[in-house]
Amino acid sequence: MRPDLAHITTWLFDLDHTLYPFEANVMSLVEQRMSAFVARETGLPPEEAFQLQKRYLNEHGTTLAGLMAHHNVEPRRFLDEVHDVPLDDLHPDPELNALIAALPGRKVVFTNGDEKHAVRLLKKLEMTELFDGLFHLEHANYVPKPNLVTFELMMAAHLVSPRDTIFFEDSPRNLKPAHGLGMTTVLVGPHAAANLDTFVDHRSPSLKAFLSTLN
């Protein structure tokens, strides 16, 4: 059934694993660099460093937030290192880009990545000109989604009215505050269909698949 989105005036998009598919080998490379950074910073063996990285991700929203809270890590040093990965497997999708371009209203990227990472990926995906705004981790003072304060900062910065906004994410927990604020929520990705969270309004195997249903 085609969703009724006639009221939507703002289209809000996560970046990683939302504007490009899971199969693109970007975040797996970033995570490898994160584990290496955590191991070096803490002196833990690789497996324990990986577990700590994931624990910080789950408890703080990002690995960086955990490192800042518990190890006084300077964020710029961490971000520059972990995002310095090749983008050989990341390719533009002209069909997806055309679907995004055709959406009525404003389009904004809302990411837990930093500005350099976001700008670099959007350029590689040939999406830079598709969006009217970008809210990244530095705008949020390095406090990541799903923190409600970060959502409030994003809404204030881009004059977002939640009731008129649809938010696309690959992470269910980042959709929970969005739904609470009144946004329409869409979970995308290979595991979306199995999700049972009541704060998820729509589910799709990919952003492209969902947007294709709107035509």
Side-chain angles (χ1 to χ4, degrees):
M1 179 182 263
R2 180 182 299 178
D4 181 9
L5 303 179
H7 65 293
I8 296 298
T9 59
T10 299
W11 305 76
L12 190 62
F13 301 87
D14 174 49
L15 172 57
D16 292 300
H17 286 168
T18 298
L19 289 178
Y20 61 85
F22 276 67
E23 296 74 29
N25 190 30
V26 177
M27 289 311 294
S28 59
L29 295 176
V30 170
E31 289 176 355
Q32 289 173 24
R33 285 184 171 265
M34 286 183 182
S35 292
F37 187 100
V38 172
R40 189 177 69 248
E41 201 71 20
T42 63
L44 291 172
E47 182 57 33
E48 290 183 36
F50 175 77
Q51 295 300 326
L52 184 62
Q53 172 204 335
K54 293 303 182 184
R55 196 183 95 203
Y56 285 165
L57 174 64
N58 291 330
E59 293 177 356
H60 295 270
T62 60
T63 299
L64 172 60
L67 289 170
M68 291 174 66
H70 299 290
H71 304 276
N72 200 32
V73 166
E74 195 282 314
R76 188 74 267 151
R77 180 168 64 90
F78 173 85
L79 291 166
D80 285 345
E81 179 172 329
V82 303
H83 286 151
D84 185 21
V85 297
L87 302 180
D88 299 340
D89 293 330
L90 189 67
H91 305 288
D93 183 338
E95 292 181 359
L96 174 59
N97 290 3
L99 289 168
I100 294 174
L103 295 173
R106 298 184 306 143
K107 301 130 195 175
V108 177
V109 176
F110 181 23
T111 176
N112 274 346
D114 68 335
E115 181 179 23
K116 185 185 296 186
H117 175 71
V119 168
R120 182 182 181 221
L121 265 61
L122 291 173
K123 181 178 180 181
K124 183 72 189 293
L125 292 166
E126 298 179 1
M127 288 183 169
T128 304
E129 303 303 320
L130 297 179
F131 296 102
D132 303 291
L134 166 64
F135 191 92
H136 52 73
L137 193 58
E138 288 131 320
H139 288 145
N141 300 313
Y142 300 103
V143 177
K145 299 175 287 186
N147 193 294
L148 184 59
V149 171
T150 298
F151 276 82
E152 291 170 344
L153 286 171
M154 179 277 298
M155 291 188 298
H158 293 283
L159 303 178
V160 170
S161 171
R163 297 289 174 184
D164 305 326
T165 298
I166 187 168
F167 184 31
F168 299 89
E169 257 278 2
D170 69 293
S171 173
R173 67 180 175 181
N174 290 339
L175 291 176
K176 187 174 182 178
H179 186 270
L181 289 164
M183 296 181 189
T184 300
T185 56
V186 185
L187 181 65
V188 299
H191 306 297
N195 176 273
L196 299 176
D197 291 318
T198 57
F199 52 80
V200 175
D201 297 315
H202 305 284
R203 298 165 181 83
S204 179
S206 70
L207 175 62
K208 183 178 179 179
F210 183 88
L211 295 183
S212 295
T213 68
L214 304 183
N215 289 339

